[in-house]
Amino acid sequence: MFDWDKWQEILFTIRKNKLRSFLTAFSVSWGVFMLILLLGAGSGLRNGVESQFRDDAINSLWISPGQTSIPYKGSKPGRSIRMTNEDYEVLSSTIEGVEKITARYNIWGEFTVRYKDKYSAFDIRSCHPDHRYLEKTIMTGGRFLNQLDIDEKRKVCVIGSQVKSILFDDGTDPLGEWIDVKGIPYRIVGTYEDNGNERETRIIYIPISTAQTAYGGGNRIHRLMLTMGDASLEESKVIEEKVRATLSERHQYSPEDDRAMYINNGVEDYERFSNIFKGIDMLMWFIGFFTILAGIVGVSNIMMIVVKERTREIGVRKALGAPPRSIVGLFISEAVLITFIAGFVGMFLGVLLVDAIGSAGIDFEFFKSPQANIKVAVGASIILIVAGAIAGWIPARKASQISPIEALKDE
């Protein structure tokens, strides 16, 4: 049952020792404030890194040719590897676990793109239909490139939102319109948006077969990209090794030669960053925990002093018949009250600051949208109540064991 007299006595004691109570509460508030701030900073770092992966499929292999660095079957190092359409066909048909696959043929130089009296320079990217899954392209109108476009080497294109806004007036539907790409007309069959940076929406996609024919590429390709479904890290490494072995066999270089073919495993990169952030989270919890613990120890020490100061009062209470549990309850309640209020203030200010930083739109490449975890904040509050009870229990137990005669003799 709620004992109003006991709480009035506790509040009177706190008001009587304002400075001491404030300093005690401040140490707890600061600990909780720093914990929330550290966790918010951790979430901002995590969001920043994850945004770097948002633009591309995580479960992917990106394959680019290089130069050999190891002699192999009579060939000297320094030989350039040249990938062709046959590499795309072999990998797509023989490697188990390949889900989506595309190749790129790079078209170098600046391309002036014109529509009626409007023109600007944009990047031209040639690829296969599966490219949209590798780049997580979001279609906003029409369609992406399809296999018929590849087979018939059609002069069709898909334009990004920036291309659309620059070349077309508001309200104009670009689908079916023709644009001139450095002297070659392409019919627009789709428009897209991209969650990556703005540069990704200034790109015009065309069929790779059209690009190879129109710009003298023959059957050459500059990059292969593929996804691996729900492959685990171990499964993705197996697929990577199969790809490496297949390409080394086709192009006659050592399978141990990492410079002959650069293969970037997205699953491995993502796992590496995830492990780094698990470590950072643990470090932040470690720092925050000991910061709070220091505050709790401070509360316990202050309560010990309080017990010492009120020894005679305790003796009078016991002489009048007060049971030990009432004295224990008095000191535990005071410790819990100080700890909980101080912790709540620290938590409130921490959440407020983290939300303010997030609302201010302070975004960097590797730091975006910091968030205060409400579940963590509630959990910290519960821990504080328990910690406050423990902090008060030690001096309270000591107070309950004081002999009334010894207490009344205390000066």
Side-chain angles (χ1 to χ4, degrees):
M1 182 177 290
F2 183 79
D3 188 344
W4 176 239
D5 291 337
K6 183 180 77 175
W7 286 103
Q8 276 189 319
E9 186 178 345
I10 291 172
L11 295 174
F12 174 77
T13 305
I14 293 173
R15 285 197 299 267
K16 184 181 177 183
N17 302 283
K18 292 177 182 175
L19 180 60
R20 186 180 67 194
S21 301
F22 170 77
L23 293 176
T24 304
F26 179 78
S27 63
V28 176
S29 292
W30 182 251
V32 177
F33 176 78
M34 289 304 298
L35 175 63
I36 300 297
L37 209 58
L38 286 170
L39 293 176
S43 74
L45 286 171
R46 182 184 294 277
N47 292 337
V49 172
E50 286 181 346
S51 72
Q52 302 301 310
F53 288 91
R54 186 177 55 187
D55 184 34
D56 304 319
I58 293 172
N59 59 334
S60 60
L61 292 182
W62 291 56
I63 306 155
S64 302
Q67 285 189 337
T68 58
S69 60
I70 301 174
Y72 185 72
K73 294 184 178 180
S75 297
K76 295 181 179 178
R79 180 167 55 93
S80 297
I81 303 298
R82 182 187 176 103
M83 289 199 298
T84 63
N85 290 338
E86 286 70 31
D87 292 308
Y88 167 84
E89 299 293 342
V90 169
L91 292 188
S92 60
S93 60
T94 63
I95 304 296
E96 187 178 352
V98 173
E99 183 187 40
K100 305 289 184 183
I101 184 168
T102 182
R104 284 185 190 172
Y105 168 69
N106 294 335
I107 307 169
W108 309 109
E110 187 177 88
F111 280 70
T112 301
V113 179
R114 183 188 301 275
Y115 175 72
K116 294 182 178 177
D117 60 340
K118 294 185 177 182
Y119 60 91
S120 185
F122 300 105
D123 290 335
I124 308 299
R125 184 175 287 172
S126 69
C127 59
H128 289 92
D130 283 351
H131 191 281
R132 60 176 295 197
Y133 301 103
L134 271 298
E135 284 283 356
K136 294 185 176 179
T137 303
I138 304 167
M139 296 305 297
T140 55
R143 62 172 177 83
F144 198 69
L145 305 173
N146 60 32
Q147 191 58 43
L148 206 57
D149 298 329
I150 303 292
D151 295 340
E152 296 183 358
K153 302 178 182 177
R154 291 176 170 176
K155 291 185 175 63
V156 295
C157 67
V158 180
I159 63 173
S161 56
Q162 284 290 317
V163 180
K164 177 185 173 183
S165 64
I166 292 171
L167 295 183
F168 295 89
D169 295 329
D170 290 342
T172 302
D173 185 3
L175 296 181
E177 297 294 321
W178 291 79
I179 57 175
D180 184 291
V181 181
K182 208 173 184 178
I184 300 177
Y186 286 86
R187 185 168 62 88
I188 299 171
V189 295
T191 58
Y192 74 89
E193 188 57 81
D194 195 292
N195 284 332
N197 57 49
E198 188 176 298
R199 183 174 175 276
E200 291 294 322
T201 60
R202 291 180 58 89
I203 293 171
I204 298 174
Y205 288 112
I206 64 174
I208 187 170
S209 56
T210 305
Q212 289 171 330
T213 302
Y215 305 104
N219 68 343
R220 184 176 186 180
I221 59 178
H222 292 101
R223 176 172 286 178
L224 276 166
M225 304 123 73
L226 58 91
T227 62
M228 301 170 285
D230 297 326
S232 63
L233 176 59
E234 290 74 20
E235 291 168 338
S236 73
K237 296 293 286 184
V238 171
I239 295 173
E240 179 184 338
E241 287 307 313
K242 288 181 180 177
V243 168
R244 192 180 297 281
T246 301
L247 293 176
S248 68
E249 176 66 22
R250 279 185 47 75
H251 294 279
Q252 293 296 295
Y253 65 84
S254 170
E256 308 299 325
D257 192 347
D258 292 334
R259 295 186 179 180
M261 195 69 69
Y262 296 101
I263 301 180
N264 187 67
N265 189 329
V267 179
E268 188 177 24
D269 289 344
Y270 188 76
E271 285 286 331
R272 187 182 301 121
F273 277 107
S274 293
N275 290 332
I276 289 173
F277 278 100
K278 285 177 184 174
I280 291 175
D281 283 346
M282 289 179 64
L283 177 64
M284 289 180 174
W285 270 106
F286 181 81
I287 296 171
F289 173 76
F290 280 100
T291 306
I292 292 176
L293 184 63
I296 298 301
V297 171
V299 172
S300 183
N301 288 335
I302 291 297
M303 294 307 297
M304 293 289 282
I305 295 172
V306 170
V307 168
K308 181 65 178 174
E309 289 179 349
R310 297 170 65 180
T311 300
R312 285 181 62 83
E313 176 191 327
I314 294 169
V316 171
R317 286 173 179 271
K318 297 193 74 172
L320 294 175
R325 67 173 182 277
S326 69
I327 296 172
V328 171
L330 182 68
F331 286 98
I332 288 180
S333 299
E334 185 173 338
V336 169
L337 181 67
I338 292 174
T339 308
F340 179 74
I341 292 177
F344 180 80
V345 171
M347 182 180 66
F348 176 76
L349 294 177
V351 171
L352 201 65
L353 180 59
V354 172
D355 282 349
I357 294 172
S359 302
I362 301 175
D363 283 354
F364 301 101
E365 188 175 2
F366 288 101
F367 187 88
K368 294 181 182 294
S369 308
Q371 296 172 338
N373 191 321
I374 298 301
K375 290 183 178 178
V376 172
V378 173
S381 300
I382 296 172
I383 292 172
L384 278 170
I385 295 173
V386 175
I390 295 172
W393 180 80
I394 297 172
R397 184 170 177 274
K398 183 178 179 181
S400 68
Q401 293 174 341
I402 297 175
S403 165
I405 298 175
E406 291 179 2
L408 291 171
K409 289 180 180 178
D410 186 79
E411 296 297 335

